[in-house]
Amino acid sequence: MKKLMTLAIALILSAGAFAQNYEAWSSLKKNANFFLASDLGRNGYYDQKPIAELMGIMAEEIGPECIIAAGDIHHFDGVQSVDDPLWMTNYELVYSHPELMIDWLPVLGNHEYRGNTQAVMDYSNKSRRWNMPARYYTKVYEEDGTTVRFVMVDTTPLMSKYRKESEKYPDACKQDNAKQLAWLDSVLTSSKEDWVIVVGHHPIYAETPKDASEREDMQNTLGRVLAKHKQVAMYLCGHIHNFQHLQVEGDGINYVVNSSASLSRKVMPLEDTVFCSPEPGFLVIAADEKELCVHMIDKNGKVLHTVKRSK
């Protein structure tokens, strides 16, 4: 009897940890709402499954139009085919809440590049909710008079370290960077939406123990294109497994690093850091015609920091 009472109390406390935030979560939503998660694939372990359940519960209140998966859906060596068991253990059986049965817009991460990258795109033909038409693509949403354009880019080939490791990342050196950057420039030039958000896996600016060449290559490729287009409000990414918001002097873009949706890492502030946190979690993106907000959500459903752009 004592064990049953203890279990009942634990269940009540667990439910209350989410329930007490319902009103706060509802206040986050605007005309157009989206979730972004990255660095997912841990077969449900660490914090992946609890965060996935939290995403579903919060989706009941916020009603996202889609979920953006900003790379590294599968640790550690990507997938081999559309029938790889990792699709079930990293994705389908983890993100199983009914409210998460909506469109997912993915980009490739470096871990996808260790496997069969074409299979990640081809999974769109097998899963109703997986929507990845190409390695890079764009998608526009219009909700209640608010328009938001997501520009999804393929960052792994932009870095020389991955292109040189042809055995470990066999598809990286095969990609035409000039073609992708020309496409990006063209899309941004013609973009007239209320908000333009670019999404990739790797950061352009961030505090990280990873090779400095990663940020240098990103700044010299993707960063140079984005700098030409003042209508780009934010660049969202993952890869570092912690939350970071950076604002570079003289640069109008907000650089936001999303934390891992499973296993997170420590972080230290830089000169350009507005906020950082080692907590795992995901992003809630909310927009109307006058304001764009990106909320950093930890594994308990708490808003740690909000990045805002206003008109």
Side-chain angles (χ1 to χ4, degrees):
M1 177 64 71
K2 187 176 180 180
K3 287 184 177 179
L4 289 174
M5 289 182 64
T6 302
L7 177 60
I9 292 171
L11 289 173
I12 291 170
L13 290 174
S14 177
F18 291 140
Q20 66 184 352
N21 291 303
Y22 281 175
E23 185 175 347
W25 295 340
S26 184
S27 69
L28 300 179
K29 64 184 179 183
K30 292 181 178 291
N31 293 353
N33 305 286
F34 313 88
F35 285 179
L36 183 148
S38 63
D39 306 279
L40 315 173
R42 299 281 179 172
N43 288 301
Y45 282 82
Y46 303 99
D47 290 308
Q48 189 186 9
K49 186 58 177 176
I51 290 173
E53 288 301 302
L54 173 63
M55 288 171 63
I57 295 169
M58 288 187 69
E60 295 176 5
E61 294 298 312
I62 296 175
E65 300 301 321
C66 74
I67 299 169
I68 296 167
D72 284 3
I73 294 93
H74 301 288
H75 290 85
F76 290 90
D77 295 318
V79 290
Q80 295 304 308
S81 71
V82 296
D83 298 313
D84 195 310
L86 288 178
W87 284 111
M88 298 302 293
T89 58
N90 276 336
Y91 179 60
E92 299 290 358
L93 297 179
V94 178
Y95 300 93
S96 56
H97 192 287
E99 295 295 326
L100 303 182
M101 299 298 160
I102 57 177
D103 286 352
W104 287 59
L105 305 185
V107 296
L108 298 169
N110 51 292
H111 283 284
E112 274 74 50
Y113 264 92
R114 292 189 185 185
N116 184 343
T117 55
Q118 186 61 46
V120 182
M121 291 174 278
D122 290 344
Y123 196 67
S124 302
N125 299 322
K126 187 164 186 175
S127 170
R128 154 62 185 83
R129 56 179 173 162
W130 195 258
N131 289 267
M132 189 176 185
R135 293 176 189 272
Y136 47 91
Y137 58 99
T138 186
K139 176 77 173 179
V140 176
Y141 287 88
E142 181 174 0
E143 298 295 330
D144 296 329
T146 299
T147 54
V148 180
R149 178 183 290 275
F150 290 102
V151 185
M152 318 293 281
V153 296
D154 185 18
T155 57
T156 300
L158 298 177
M159 278 162 279
S160 56
K161 62 174 286 186
Y162 296 120
R163 297 180 74 89
K164 291 176 181 176
E165 296 186 55
S166 57
E167 291 188 8
K168 195 172 186 178
Y169 304 96
D171 288 344
C173 63
K174 300 175 185 177
Q175 308 311 311
D176 187 338
N177 287 339
K179 182 178 180 180
Q180 178 181 187
L181 295 175
W183 169 87
L184 175 63
D185 187 42
S186 176
V187 169
L188 295 179
T189 298
S190 62
S191 296
K192 306 297 182 184
E193 290 73 28
D194 295 322
W195 303 105
V196 177
I197 301 172
V198 179
V199 179
H201 179 64
H202 295 82
I204 300 174
Y205 299 97
E207 189 280 326
T208 169
K210 297 180 182 292
D211 295 341
S213 65
E214 290 189 13
R215 270 89 64 218
E216 292 170 359
D217 286 345
M218 288 290 289
Q219 290 163 23
N220 290 329
T221 54
L222 185 62
R224 287 185 176 178
V225 176
L226 298 188
K228 295 170 55 180
H229 299 278
K230 304 304 180 185
Q231 72 271 40
V232 176
M234 297 187 187
Y235 175 70
L236 310 182
C237 66
H239 188 53
I240 310 300
H241 293 221
N242 48 52
F243 287 118
Q244 298 186 50
H245 171 204
L246 298 100
Q247 184 68 65
V248 179
E249 186 176 357
D251 189 330
I253 299 173
N254 285 272
Y255 297 93
V256 180
V257 180
N258 179 59
S259 188
S260 170
S262 56
L263 182 63
S264 60
R265 298 175 182 143
K266 296 178 181 179
V267 61
M268 296 284 289
L270 299 174
E271 181 180 354
D272 298 319
T273 302
V274 179
F275 175 84
C276 62
S277 169
E279 292 297 316
F282 64 101
L283 301 179
V284 171
I285 304 163
D288 58 30
E289 293 178 71
K290 297 298 182 181
E291 187 176 59
L292 170 66
C293 294
V294 172
H295 306 285
M296 297 178 178
I297 311 295
D298 73 5
K299 64 181 180 180
N300 296 313
K302 179 183 177 181
V303 178
L304 299 178
H305 177 68
T306 298
V307 185
K308 291 185 179 182
R309 290 292 304 267
S310 301
K311 291 186 176 181

